[in-house]
Amino acid sequence: MKAETWARRAAVVAVAVAAALTPGAATATAADAPAARHTAPGTHGPVGWDTYRHLDRLGELPSGVRTQQFSSFDRAGGNDDGFDGTYSCLRTTTEGCVIAEHSGPGEIGAIWFTRDGGDVSRTGTITIELDGKTVLHASLQDVVDGKLGAPFTAPLVADADASSGGVLIEVPMTFRRSMRITTELNPLFYHVSYRTFADAVGVTTFDPSDPAQDVVDRLKAAGTRDPKPALPGARTTARTLDLAPGQTRTLAKVTDPGLLTALDIRLPQASYVTPRTETDNGRAFGAGGSSEFTVAVDPANEGVTLTRRLDPGIGHQVADVYVDGHLAGRWSPNEPVGGGLWAEQSVRLPASLTAGKSRITVKNVFVSSDLDYNEFTYWADSETGGQTHRTDTVDVGTPASEQDHAYRITAPTWQGERTFGYPLDDDQRARLAETQKLLQGLRLRISFDGHRTVDSPLGEFFGSGHALAPVRSLMFGIDPATRAFRAWWPMPFARSAEVQLYNGSGTAVTTGTATVTSAPSTAHARAVQDGTEGYFRTQSHAGPTTDGQSWPFLLADGRGKFVGVSHTMTGETNRNYLEGDERVHVDGSRTPQLHGTGTEDFYQSGWYFNRETYTQPFNGNPTHLGASTGCAADRDCTGAYRLQIHDAVPFTRSIAYSIEHGPVNDKQADYSSTAYWYGTAEPSAHRTDSLRVGDPGDEQAHHYTSADPGPATTLDSVFEGDQRDPAHLTAATRATHAPVAFVLAVDPGNRGVELRRTSDQKAAHQQVEVRVNGRRLPDWYQPLGNGERRWLDDTYLIPSAVTHGRKALTITLTPPAGAPDWSAASYTAYSLS
C-alpha cells in the first residue's frame, strides 16, 4: 500500500479512536447510543430441532454465524488423513482423544467417523459435553447402531451398512457456552462440523431426553413428501410435457408474491435399468492368511471344478489351492473392476486328488493382492461321464454354512455384506443410454423477479445424474417406479417466478407431466426485498478436471449460504479420484473453514463406498456403474449427494467451496455438479479497519499497547489447504503472554463485527480472555496447531449488543495462565450489515 494511502487511513483511524477514547463520546449521539439498547433477536435463524420444524425458513440468511469443521485431515497437505491417526486428536486427556472443542455459543452439526472398513467399535466410547454437562457417553458403535434410541435413532444416526462404509450422527446439538467431543481411543478418520454464534439469544442447551419424535418422523419420510409445514393458499399448476430437441416449455408462471414450495416432474420415457443383483456375506484374509473348509463331492468324479464369487474391486488376488494338504492349483490374478459388480473364478481340482472321495478339505493360502483375498460363496461341481453336477455350496459368512463345512480363517482382514450386480444385457444398456441423455440433457430453469437463478441438469438437480435411481433425500427425491422427480426447496420471491424445462438432450420428450406448487406470502416477499432471505440458486457445471486445481462446487460473491450438492463423477476404475478432499474458504479466508479427508468421506461414507449404493435424508450414493452396467469402458461412474441443513455454510462476502480429484488434484476425472444455495448479490459485511501487528506506525495509530508485546519477528510460511499451490505469506508477527489492547474502527450501523486474526499457529491451543469496550465475552480459543504450515486465519464473532452504535471498539485480549503465547500478525474488523 502506498505511504499516502496508509497516512489517510491512519488519520481516519485516529479520528475514530479519539472518539472512542473521549469520555462520554459513546453516548453523545443517537448513533453512538449505549450498545445495550440495541437488540437483533433471531439473527442466526432457527437452531436445533427448530431447523427442521421450520424448513420454510431455510432461505433465511443468518448474521453472526459461521460454520466450521474439525477433522483428521493431513496438516502437511498430503493424503495421511487418518490412516495412522497422526492428526486425529487435538489433544489427549485422561478421558481420551479430544476431537472437537469450542468456547462460546453454537451448535454441533454432522459428526462422521470411519475405520476398519466402517466398524468403529475400536474407537470405544464417545463423550459429548455441552455447557459443562455430559449429554452423551456411550459406545460409538452402539450410538450409530441406534441402540440408544431417540433422538439418537435412524436416520439421525447411521452405521456403515446404512451409509456405505462410514458412520454418522446428525443430531443437532446446541450449546450456549462451550462444546467438547472426546473419544476413548484414537478414532483415525473423523469430521465434526459445527456452527458458532455471536450470541446465545434464542439458544438453549441440547436436551438428550427430548426424542424430537416429530422431527424423526419427518426425516423417515424423506423423499416421499414435503417436509415443510403446510402454507395457506397453496395452489398447483399442471402442464403436460411435449418438447422437441432444442425447445423450452414453461411449466409455471406465478405473479403472487410468496414462494415456490414444490416441483413434481413425471417422465415416463426414463427407464429404470438395474443389473441383476445378489446380496452375499463374505470374508477376507491378508498376507500370511488362509481359509479352509470341506465340500462334498461325487466319489465317482473325474475331477472337480471349484468356483468362487469375489469382489473384483480388489485387484490381483492370488492364492494357492490345496486339497487334503496337496497343492492342487492357483486362483489366477483378477483385473480390478469397478462399478459394484460380482466376479466369478474357477479352478479345476484334478481327479488324482478328488476321485473316490465323498468329501475333501480345501485350503486357500494367500500369495498376493492389491489389498487382501476375499471370498463370498464357493460352489463344487463334480465331473462324471463328461457332465458336471453341483454337489455342494459353501456360503462364507453365514454361520450355519460355515459350521456345516468346518470353515476356518486365519489373518482375517474383513467380514461383511455386499450387494453387487451382474452385467446388463444389450437391451438394458440401450435403454439406460437413452435415459442418461434425458437426465443430462434436459435442464430445469427457474427465474425469480426477472433473474434466472437455476439452470441445472434434470437428473442431477433431483439427486442422480448417472441413471434413474431411487433418491430419498430430505429436500428432493426420485421414485423410479413412477418416474417421478420431486423437490421441496422453499424458493421465495418478491414479485414473480417462472419455471421452465429446456430440452438439450437430442431426444424428443413426447409424454409426461409437470406440476409446480406455490404459496402467497407477503412475509417471504418482504424478506427477499430486505435481504433477510436469499433467492434459491444453483450453480451447475460439467467437464474434465484440471490437473492441480480443485473442482469448484460453488464460487460466489455477495451474501448467502451453501445448503448442499449433487455430484456426478466418472474416473479410473481403481476409484482413486475419490481420494480428493473438500475445502471451503469463506469471505476471503486463506485458511479453509472446512477441510475434509476424502470424497466419499465428504458424502459421509467410507472406503470408496464399500457397501455400495444407498440413499438417506442428508447423504446418498444412488448410482455406481461400471463398464458392464452403463459406464464407459475402463471407467467408473459414481453419483452422490450431500445436504447441509443444520450445518449450512453461510458467507457474508464470498465463498469458494471445492473438492479435490485424487490425493493432490492429480487424478483425471470428468465431473458434473450442482450446488444448492441461497443468496443475494450484495455483501453483508465490509472491512472497516485493519491493524498490522509489528508495524510501529500502525500500532501507534490503533493504540496498540501491552506490558510485554513480544518481539516483532518475520515469518515466511504458507497456509493450510492446497498442497501444490498453498497461499504464501511473509509478514511480521508478535507472540506474547501479556495482555494486549488495541482500537479498531467499525461502522456504527453494524449488526455485529467479525474480527479476523492472522497468526502463527506453531503453538496449538492458543487462548485469550476477550473484552470489548470493557464487556467480558467468551474466550477466543483456537485448539488447532501446525508446525509446518504455520499461517492461520481465524475469526471471532463480536455480537451486535456490544458493537452497534459504536464508531470504534477497544479490544483487550488476555492470555490465561498456562496458555501458550498468543500470536498475531494482523487483526481486521468487518462490520456486518
Side-chain angles (χ1 to χ4, degrees), residues 320-407:
D320 284 333
V321 185
Y322 291 80
V323 172
D324 295 330
H326 300 281
L327 183 63
R330 170 172 282 191
W331 298 108
S332 59
N334 64 290
E335 288 301 316
V337 177
L341 288 177
W342 289 117
E344 293 177 4
Q345 280 187 331
S346 295
V347 62
R348 189 177 186 280
L349 309 179
S352 60
L353 298 177
T354 62
K357 299 177 181 179
S358 60
R359 202 163 194 89
I360 60 175
T361 298
V362 176
K363 186 174 184 177
N364 301 297
V365 179
F366 183 92
V367 175
S368 61
S369 170
D370 290 348
L371 180 63
D372 51 20
Y373 171 98
N374 62 67
E375 50 190 8
F376 291 81
T377 299
Y378 289 97
W379 297 277
D381 295 300
S382 296
E383 303 172 17
T384 56
Q387 302 294 320
T388 62
H389 60 284
R390 182 70 40 87
T391 51
D392 209 350
T393 299
V394 182
D395 190 356
V396 178
T398 301
S401 183
E402 289 185 345
Q403 183 176 356
D404 290 344
H405 295 88
Y407 177 89

Side-chain angles (χ1 to χ4, degrees), residues 795-825:
T795 299
Y796 185 89
L797 301 175
I798 306 176
S800 60
V802 178
T803 63
H804 185 75
R806 304 281 186 174
K807 293 180 179 179
L809 304 178
T810 300
I811 299 166
T812 304
L813 307 176
T814 305
D821 285 354
W822 181 256
S823 168

Side-chain angles (χ1 to χ4, degrees), residues 50-51 126 176 188 302 379 443 679 716 746:
D50 281 348
T51 300
I126 181 172
R176 293 178 58 83
L188 302 187
E302 299 157 355
W379 297 277
R443 295 188 72 89
D716 183 355
V746 296

